[in-house]
Amino acid sequence: MPTINFILTIFCTALLLSCQDSEKKVTNNQNPQRPNIIFMMSDDHAYQAISAYNDELITTPNIDRIADEGILFTNASVTNSICAPSRAVILTGKHSHLNGKIDNLSDFDTTNVTFPQLLQEAGYQTAMFGKLHFGNNPKGFDKFMILPGQGDYYNPKFITQKGDTVINGYVTDIITDLTLNWLEKERDKGKPFLLMYLHKAPHRAWLPAERHYKEFTKKTFPLPETLFDDYVRIHPKDLKPESAELRSGHGNLTPPKNGISTAAKSAEMNILTHMILTNDNKLKDSVVKKLGIEERYLGDPTRGMNEQQKAAWDAVYNPINEEFTEKYPGMDSKDLMEWKYQRYMQDYLGTIAAVDENVGRVLNYLDENDLTENTIVVYTSDQGFYLGEHGWFDKRFMYDESFKTPLLIRWPNQIKEGITEEEMVQNLDFAQTFLEAAGVKAPDEMQGKSLIPLLKGENKAWDREAVYYHYYEYPAEHAVKRHYGIATKDYKLIHFYYDIDEWELYDRKNDPREMHNVFYDPDYAEVRQEMVQKLKEVREKYKDSEELDKQFIKVYEEK
């Protein structure tokens, strides 16, 4: 019969092994109190091109999975719809006028404190792979491999701590390969991690992978209702006289000539007149010249391909060139607009197909390696993009397709699956969200709001009525005029300034396509008054002002 001492020995040994096993489980799960964070961001990915938002153009099952297992934000927006400034806002948690990165041309002030630096100091292992767009030595990262500037779709160069390197292949696949290699072989599995997984796609000039352009060049897509927009925004009834009391103090009440939005009409991003047949629509320069078409030439977009890649490309795109050569003499402007739109969609959406596949690869890795449960996964874009709405491509405006951005977040056991959230949130909020999730105090200078209450369903704690937007890069590419404004769930107020002084007010619920500027409509006089006052208050809250506007204009003009 076993003695009491023997039984106690067995019991204590079992208890010790059990404690060691529990400790291992905590280590393997990266400490449940400190979640891992994977920030997935693509470049210029329109929310209209994610099937969780709209399934008319493309199906994105892997990106959708994040929403299906988490939360889908329908009122997420950016503070400044252009690549580098958007990224600076995300990293610093401060509006452009405070972090200093107001446009793609200005330098990023490296004295700014970024949330990756704070997480790194708090014990997180940090890595960045893909497109940063500015700087070649991002602060706060243990490992980075980033594209120089825009980077290339085929055989891209990467900047690393050890110098530049060229990797052969397709950029979206390569960024994912680097990411998965770091997760599998390079990270310290005893630490929580921040991983910034940043795609170049679907940025212009939209070169899909071979497996996708063979498929997508055969597709036809529905035309947007506003493809042939004439930019008339004010109806005759809006110009009725109104009382002096209502006119007082509400901005410039002289409507633009003929009811046309000067800013919308003068922008240089129309698919018919500004999209380039060679660089954007993939016609050969020789074909364009043969047809007598005069336009800017930005060089052969396929020049980075090797012989094998170029041969595969030409096998598909040469017939497209031949078909256009035959059709062009009989085309009118409507025919040409529709042809260019289809070519645009085929290549743009083709690049997104690769993004979706690769997001799936990362999600599968998390599942297969017991990392899903304690990892926050975010999918977003640095801004929205026009897919033919108002006749446009590109972004920059505060109109919805550019201003709104996709935002899908998964955090198992914290976010209830399949939630749709309509609260007003911005890319300004990411820094404070990640810091709170990690238990790190955010600096007082950060201007966003942590999304944690919304992620946990505590909507009553969310008190933001309006978000603020400011675009600066003018005069410049695409000629989108300087403007700032606010948006609530119901209305949007925009002030275009610098070389014009025009105001636009949109009823977001009754006019979702933003075709009717009601700023001059007497029926909206009270709304206008409230929104103008709210804009003033929001500008003060975020420390923006006319004085700063003048300073940035002066600096811009001196460059």
Side-chain angles (χ1 to χ4, degrees):
M1 173 178 284
T3 66
I4 293 295
N5 287 340
F6 178 76
I7 293 173
L8 287 174
T9 300
I10 295 297
F11 175 77
C12 291
T13 301
L15 183 61
L16 178 62
L17 290 173
S18 175
C19 290
Q20 289 175 341
D21 185 55
S22 297
E23 186 175 341
K24 288 179 182 178
K25 288 180 180 178
V26 170
T27 301
N28 289 338
N29 286 330
Q30 304 298 298
N31 186 347
Q33 303 305 314
R34 307 185 75 195
N36 307 310
I37 301 165
I38 298 184
F39 183 73
M40 303 179 172
M41 186 166 72
S42 50
D43 193 309
D44 293 345
H45 192 169
Y47 64 89
Q48 313 93 286
I50 293 177
S51 49
Y53 290 96
N54 170 35
D55 61 3
E56 293 181 0
L57 294 174
I58 190 172
T59 301
T60 53
N62 297 295
I63 298 172
D64 291 359
R65 179 183 161 191
I66 300 171
D68 293 340
E69 298 173 1
I71 187 169
L72 177 77
F73 287 88
T74 59
N75 257 327
S77 63
V78 296
T79 63
N80 184 355
S81 183
I82 188 167
C83 295
S86 177
R87 293 156 195 269
V89 168
I90 289 169
L91 288 170
T92 65
K94 296 188 293 187
H95 276 278
S96 300
H97 60 273
L98 291 189
N99 69 47
K101 186 66 176 165
I102 61 169
D103 52 40
N104 277 341
L105 306 176
S106 57
D107 294 330
F108 177 66
D109 181 357
T110 55
T111 64
N112 280 298
V113 175
T114 65
F115 80 84
Q117 288 175 265
L118 298 174
L119 290 179
Q120 186 184 50
E121 291 171 4
Y124 270 69
Q125 191 173 18
T126 57
M128 175 187 285
F129 300 100
K131 179 185 172 182
L132 174 60
H133 191 88
F134 61 85
N136 58 7
N137 187 22
K139 294 167 70 174
F141 291 95
D142 301 311
K143 173 72 177 286
F144 64 81
M145 296 185 73
I146 58 175
L147 299 166
Q150 298 291 356
D152 296 314
Y153 273 102
Y154 282 83
N155 311 320
K157 179 191 291 185
F158 286 85
I159 298 169
T160 77
Q161 283 108 323
K162 298 180 180 179
D164 295 354
T165 183
V166 173
I167 302 177
N168 292 326
Y170 186 66
V171 67
T172 308
D173 301 335
I174 293 169
I175 290 169
T176 308
D177 292 342
L178 296 173
T179 297
L180 294 178
N181 182 71
W182 183 84
L183 283 169
E184 178 64 24
K185 298 179 181 179
E186 299 184 48
R187 69 183 174 94
D188 181 342
K189 297 183 181 179
K191 289 184 177 181
F193 62 81
L194 164 69
L195 172 60
M196 299 194 76
Y197 170 58
L198 312 175
H199 284 295
K200 168 186 172 58
H203 194 279
R204 193 182 187 189
W206 316 302
L207 273 65
E210 180 181 349
R211 62 187 183 274
H212 293 128
Y213 64 67
K214 287 181 176 180
E215 172 191 358
F216 276 79
T217 51
K218 298 175 183 177
K219 292 179 178 286
T220 301
F221 301 93
L223 302 178
E225 290 186 24
T226 59
L227 182 64
F228 296 97
D229 193 348
D230 59 7
Y231 310 116
V232 173
R233 294 291 182 266
I234 303 172
H235 296 187
K237 78 176 185 67
D238 301 342
L239 306 180
K240 293 183 297 185
E242 61 179 304
S243 69
E245 301 86 64
L246 289 176
R247 286 179 178 270
S248 175
H250 299 153
N252 176 18
L253 286 181
T254 302
K257 187 177 180 181
N258 301 322
I260 293 175
S261 167
T262 303
K265 182 71 173 178
S266 61
E268 297 176 359
M269 43 199 257
N270 184 274
I271 290 174
L272 176 63
T273 54
H274 303 114
M275 182 169 277
I276 302 172
L277 286 166
T278 51
N279 189 258
D280 297 326
N281 298 132
K282 313 307 187 301
L283 294 183
K284 294 181 180 295
D285 187 44
S286 59
V287 169
V288 172
K289 288 179 177 177
K290 179 181 177 181
L291 293 171
I293 302 170
E294 295 185 6
E295 64 172 15
R296 284 192 305 160
Y297 181 57
L298 301 181
D300 180 3
T302 66
R303 56 186 175 272
M305 294 181 178
N306 61 35
E307 290 184 10
Q308 183 178 359
Q309 292 163 343
K310 189 66 166 63
W313 179 274
D314 286 344
V316 172
Y317 283 84
N318 280 352
I320 292 173
N321 277 255
E322 293 166 4
E323 182 183 18
F324 182 81
T325 301
E326 294 177 6
K327 286 184 175 181
Y328 180 72
M331 284 182 167
D332 58 20
S333 60
K334 180 177 181 294
D335 295 331
L336 184 57
M337 175 68 130
E338 293 181 3
W339 184 89
K340 293 178 82 170
Y341 169 77
Q342 295 298 340
R343 279 273 52 255
Y344 169 35
M345 285 297 92
Q346 289 166 357
D347 289 344
Y348 176 90
L349 296 171
T351 68
I352 289 173
V355 173
D356 185 69
E357 286 179 351
N358 280 283
V359 166
R361 291 176 62 197
V362 175
L363 294 179
N364 289 342
Y365 179 89
L366 298 180
D367 287 347
E368 293 162 4
N369 290 272
D370 196 27
L371 288 168
T372 297
E373 290 301 306
N374 196 43
T375 300
I376 300 171
V377 176
V378 175
Y379 186 88
T380 190
S381 178
D382 51 356
Q383 60 259 322
F385 213 68
Y386 294 102
L387 305 185
E389 300 87 2
H390 309 299
W392 290 332
F393 65 104
D394 207 69
K395 57 254 184 182
R396 301 166 197 263
F397 275 113
M398 196 185 171
Y399 305 131
D400 266 4
E401 291 81 8
S402 167
F403 171 65
K404 290 177 65 174
T405 189
L407 178 57
L408 308 84
I409 303 178
R410 185 185 75 179
W411 190 4
N413 303 317
Q414 298 291 334
I415 299 175
K416 186 178 179 181
E417 292 186 2
I419 295 175
T420 299
E421 179 53 69
E422 297 180 354
E423 293 294 344
M424 305 295 294
V425 303
Q426 285 193 296
N427 57 353
L428 184 71
D429 302 324
F430 289 135
Q432 282 162 278
T433 301
F434 297 144
L435 291 173
E436 181 176 343
V440 178
K441 186 181 185 303
D444 293 338
E445 65 191 32
M446 287 187 173
Q447 296 180 299
K449 287 171 63 72
S450 170
L451 302 178
I452 297 297
L454 295 180
L455 301 184
K456 295 186 175 182
E458 300 168 2
N459 296 53
K460 292 181 180 180
W462 192 260
D463 59 358
R464 179 186 284 159
E465 293 183 5
V467 292
Y468 182 60
Y469 180 89
H470 199 152
Y471 176 79
Y472 300 85
E473 193 170 298
Y474 176 85
E477 181 79 5
H478 296 300
V480 173
K481 294 186 181 295
R482 293 172 183 249
H483 59 290
Y484 58 81
I486 57 169
T488 67
K489 290 181 182 178
D490 295 325
Y491 300 102
K492 181 184 295 180
L493 177 67
I494 309 172
H495 180 213
F496 293 95
Y497 69 101
Y498 180 60
D499 58 342
I500 61 172
D501 180 15
E502 292 183 11
W503 293 78
E504 297 182 4
L505 175 65
Y506 294 98
D507 185 330
R508 302 185 74 197
K509 294 292 177 67
N510 295 312
D511 179 25
R513 293 184 178 83
E514 297 172 318
M515 299 294 287
H516 186 190
N517 174 15
V518 297
F519 186 84
Y520 307 92
D521 185 342
D523 293 340
Y524 284 82
E526 291 185 12
V527 172
R528 180 182 66 223
Q529 179 179 359
E530 293 172 2
M531 289 294 286
V532 169
Q533 178 60 31
K534 192 181 295 289
L535 174 60
K536 180 181 177 182
E537 294 169 357
V538 170
R539 292 254 286 173
E540 290 176 355
K541 172 185 175 181
Y542 289 122
K543 302 178 183 179
D544 202 3
S545 64
E546 289 187 12
E547 289 72 26
L548 276 176
D549 297 343
K550 292 174 183 177
Q551 289 178 27
F552 286 128
I553 288 169
K554 183 179 180 181
V555 171
Y556 195 85
E557 289 177 339
E558 289 175 350
K559 288 183 179 180

